[in-house]
Amino acid sequence: GKVYDHTYPTLADLQADKNIISGQVVKTGGYYALNDGGSAIYDVTDAKPDGYYETLQNGLYAELRYTPKVINVAQFGVNPSQSDNYTKLQMIFDNYSQDANIYFPNGLYQFSNTLILDKTYCRLVGDARTELQKTTTNLSGYTCIFNGRTINDLNTKDVALIVGPANNQNETVYHHQVKFESMRFSSPNTTDPARSNYGIVAIGTAYMSFDNCFLYGFYLNLKQYESFGFNLSQTQSNGALTASLFLDKCVHVSANGCGFESVRPQASAVVLTNGSIATIADSVITMNGVAADSNSDLTLVGGSYETNYQTFRATAGSTISVTGGDIERHQD
């Protein structure tokens, strides 16, 4: 048949066209609605494709044209307008996340079941205001579980998750607002001292929050660069060898009811550098203390601080303010 381009407002309009024939190349303006971010190009065929496809009402197939390294979830039907994105999002994680940037356009993405992402060299990229929210408490309550994943990024260091710009992780951008609820992150090879593994690295995020999460990394667990808003609530963080919370050029950071631990002697569990401002309330910091460097300000309210080295360390121009709490220092 003759190949030609035809544009449909949505996928449903494409599927309803019973006059479409095999061999045509068509385009949609959106997945569920025009301009919803899911605009895509399809190749129409009468043979079931090996790649991702949509079934047409006349029995043909529309195979999605996509770039394997950059997956736009909206083109697969993952959309803030849907009450449950679980099936489609898990399908993407299972089949299309290897070596890929998984891109989420602006919006709140809800899903009913725990998402499992275990592919390697995968990166989640948000846009403007991106939130992931699980709507049920089944399957251990985790929104996502990241097991044994590696990302060969950030100067070849391995991390469990990178949140930041897709093309250049070192550029200064402030366009991400990402929320994680009841998630578990673990960096790979956490017992190998020859590797510098991170739990999570976030770069240029306008606002990022973790609620009821568990984070485990080998070197620096949660490393946040050049960001404005950052909130942790009821989250446990273990940096293993050094800081479990490392903030660089970050302001308006808060942590409530959290736990931070670093087991390496003489290393601080919480570290602020280069003008970072943070408030930690009603939290527990064990094994090592906190440090504020390079004109950074740290406020501690309540909580418990148990260390075997320096409890607090602030360089010239930096401040650490303590209100209430239980401070214990143990000498090994």
Side-chain angles (χ1 to χ4, degrees):
K2 180 181 178 181
V3 177
Y4 68 99
D5 292 329
H6 187 78
T7 300
Y8 300 89
T10 67
L11 174 65
D13 295 310
L14 163 61
Q15 292 174 316
D17 186 358
K18 297 182 179 180
N19 295 320
I20 197 169
I21 62 175
S22 179
Q24 291 181 345
V25 179
V26 298
K27 182 179 181 180
T28 58
Y31 194 94
Y32 299 105
L34 185 64
N35 299 322
D36 66 0
S39 175
I41 297 175
Y42 299 88
D43 293 290
V44 180
T45 177
D46 55 5
K48 182 179 293 186
D50 293 330
Y52 183 81
Y53 65 88
E54 302 285 353
T55 302
L56 306 182
Q57 291 184 12
N58 63 359
L60 299 181
Y61 304 93
E63 183 175 13
L64 175 67
R65 287 189 182 182
Y66 64 92
T67 303
K69 300 298 183 182
V70 182
I71 301 299
N72 178 358
V73 299
Q75 293 182 328
F76 293 76
V78 176
N79 193 281
S81 67
Q82 303 303 296
S83 61
D84 188 1
N85 287 286
Y86 169 72
T87 300
K88 289 182 177 293
L89 192 50
Q90 186 62 61
M91 180 274 298
I92 293 173
F93 284 176
D94 289 341
N95 300 287
Y96 301 97
S97 60
Q98 181 73 33
D99 301 323
N101 290 310
I102 307 298
Y103 168 64
F104 290 80
N106 178 28
L108 169 64
Y109 296 85
Q110 296 182 318
F111 39 92
S112 60
N113 287 300
T114 298
L115 293 165
I116 309 296
L117 178 53
D118 56 7
K119 302 299 182 182
T120 58
Y121 308 114
C122 172
R123 183 181 200 163
L124 302 183
V125 181
D127 182 21
R129 179 185 172 93
T130 301
E131 297 186 21
L132 306 178
Q133 182 183 73
K134 184 180 172 188
T135 57
T136 63
T137 58
N138 60 334
L139 294 180
S140 302
Y142 290 122
T143 297
C144 296
I145 301 177
F146 295 81
N147 289 327
R149 299 175 57 231
T150 60
I151 301 177
N152 189 16
D153 210 328
L154 201 69
N155 300 323
T156 71
K157 292 180 174 63
D158 293 324
V159 301
L161 173 65
I162 289 181
V163 179
N167 297 321
N168 180 2
Q169 72 270 16
N170 293 318
E171 71 178 345
T172 302
V173 294
Y174 303 105
H175 63 199
H176 297 281
Q177 180 153 338
V178 183
K179 183 178 182 181
F180 300 100
E181 296 181 355
S182 303
M183 302 172 79
R184 181 183 181 93
F185 304 86
S186 296
S187 62
N189 295 331
T190 54
T191 59
D192 183 358
R195 304 185 63 148
S196 297
N197 297 310
Y198 295 80
I200 297 175
V201 173
I203 307 149
T205 52
Y207 183 82
M208 190 175 190
S209 65
F210 290 84
D211 184 21
N212 287 286
C213 295
F214 177 80
L215 310 105
Y216 184 88
F218 186 65
Y219 184 56
L220 288 171
N221 181 49
L222 183 58
K223 196 166 186 176
Q224 180 87 347
Y225 294 100
E226 299 177 336
S227 302
F228 285 122
F230 185 43
N231 176 263
L232 297 95
S233 177
Q234 303 297 322
T235 290
Q236 303 300 310
S237 180
N238 188 326
L241 284 188
T242 185
S244 59
L245 177 62
F246 181 91
L247 304 172
D248 185 71
K249 301 177 184 176
C250 299
V251 296
H252 302 151
V253 178
S254 66
N256 294 281
C258 295
F260 302 102
E261 180 178 17
S262 179
V263 299
R264 182 180 180 181
Q266 302 184 9
S268 297
V270 176
V271 176
L272 277 67
T273 62
N274 293 312
S276 294
I277 301 173
T279 300
I280 298 178
D282 299 323
S283 298
V284 177
I285 299 175
T286 59
M287 300 304 295
N288 292 282
V290 298
D293 300 322
S294 305
N295 298 311
S296 296
D297 296 313
L298 174 62
T299 301
L300 303 171
V301 181
S304 173
Y305 313 97
E306 299 183 15
T307 73
N308 58 8
Y309 188 60
Q310 291 179 329
T311 307
F312 308 114
R313 178 175 59 84
T315 62
S318 298
T319 61
I320 297 179
S321 303
V322 182
T323 303
D326 180 20
I327 301 173
E328 297 182 18
R329 179 176 179 270
H330 308 281
Q331 182 65 48
D332 294 339

